[in-house]
């Protein structure tokens, strides 16, 4: 099998390698998702594109977990933007969630609530009640490299599939 983008040595339908994925991701992968085995030491975007090809920078998306607070209430959400942008937490996310303050969730919260490894968090398999805020540029990209829920390996997923995930909301201005 060949990946739809990039040049990876080990490529599998994600549904065939559920044993390599964290439980929530394994339960949520679909037939149009591809798993590529990659070096866990090169999971961060800059290291990943240096190792696997600079063209993948424009074909990658990053997922971060944010915590929005209003009084004692905390709302967790995922944000997915192209790797060439950053999440507009203080404006777009805060306003969309209707909270007074929004910030990146602490690592222990992100890992504990998602069941995924830090540095590999993906929007695939997140808790169903979470908003998954997606920049429209992500949805418009034919294929994207995203985390697999673990630092080892990545998923390659059509942008339209990401836009159809449970809780997905296309949010203009999310990526800046």
């Amino acid at each position: 099998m060949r990946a739809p983008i990039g040049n990876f040595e080990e490529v599998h339908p994600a549904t065939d390698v559920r044993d390599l994925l964290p439980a929530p991701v394994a339960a949520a992968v679909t037939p149009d998702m591809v798993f590529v085995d990659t070096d866990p030491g090169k999971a961060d975007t800059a290291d990943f594109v240096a190792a696997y090809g600079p063209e993948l920078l424009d074909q990658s998306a990053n997922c971060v977990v944010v915590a929005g607070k209003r009084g004692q209430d905390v709302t967790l959400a995922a944000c997915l933007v192209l790797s060439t942008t950053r999440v507009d937490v203080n404006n777009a996310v805060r306003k969309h969630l209707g909270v007074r303050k929004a910030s990146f969730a602490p690592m222990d919260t992100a890992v504990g609530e998602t069941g995924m490894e830090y540095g590999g968090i993906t929007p695939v398999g997140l808790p169903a009640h979470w908003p998954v805020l997606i920049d429209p540029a992500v949805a418009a990209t034919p294929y994207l490299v995203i985390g697999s829920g673990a630092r080892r390996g990545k998923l390659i997923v059509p942008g339209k599939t990401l836009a159809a995930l449970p809780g997905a909301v296309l949010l203009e201005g999310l990526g800046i």
Side-chain angles (χ1 to χ4, degrees):
M1 175 177 205
R2 184 166 163 76
I5 57 173
N7 186 19
F8 299 94
E9 290 182 21
E10 194 169 333
V11 181
H12 305 277
T15 53
D16 288 357
V17 293
R18 293 178 197 269
D19 58 316
L20 297 178
L21 303 169
V25 180
V29 291
T30 59
D32 61 347
M33 297 179 186
V34 173
F35 175 84
V36 293
D37 197 12
T38 58
D39 180 346
K42 296 180 168 88
D44 295 330
T45 303
D47 297 331
F48 179 80
V49 298
Y52 297 101
E55 73 281 359
L56 293 174
L57 181 61
D58 293 328
Q59 298 172 318
S60 296
N62 292 327
C63 182
V64 296
V65 177
V66 296
K69 296 179 184 175
R70 180 179 273 296
Q72 299 300 317
D73 295 330
V74 176
T75 300
L76 295 176
C79 299
L80 189 65
V81 298
L82 294 176
S83 296
T84 54
T85 64
R86 59 188 174 85
V87 175
D88 184 2
V89 175
N90 292 321
N91 291 308
V93 174
R94 185 181 57 76
K95 288 176 185 173
H96 180 80
L97 296 178
V99 295
R100 291 184 194 265
K101 181 181 178 191
S103 59
F104 296 108
M107 181 174 64
D108 58 336
T109 300
V111 169
E113 295 293 325
T114 64
M116 301 177 198
E117 291 179 16
Y118 194 76
I121 292 176
T122 182
V124 178
L126 289 174
H129 65 279
W130 280 28
V132 178
L133 309 179
I134 299 176
D135 189 89
V138 168
T141 304
Y143 289 97
L144 291 149
V145 175
I146 61 172
S148 68
R151 289 188 65 85
R152 175 186 175 190
K154 300 283 187 181
L155 295 175
I156 298 177
V157 182
K160 65 182 179 182
T161 298
L162 295 167
L165 288 171
V169 175
L170 294 183
L171 184 59
E172 284 291 338
L174 181 63
I176 54 174

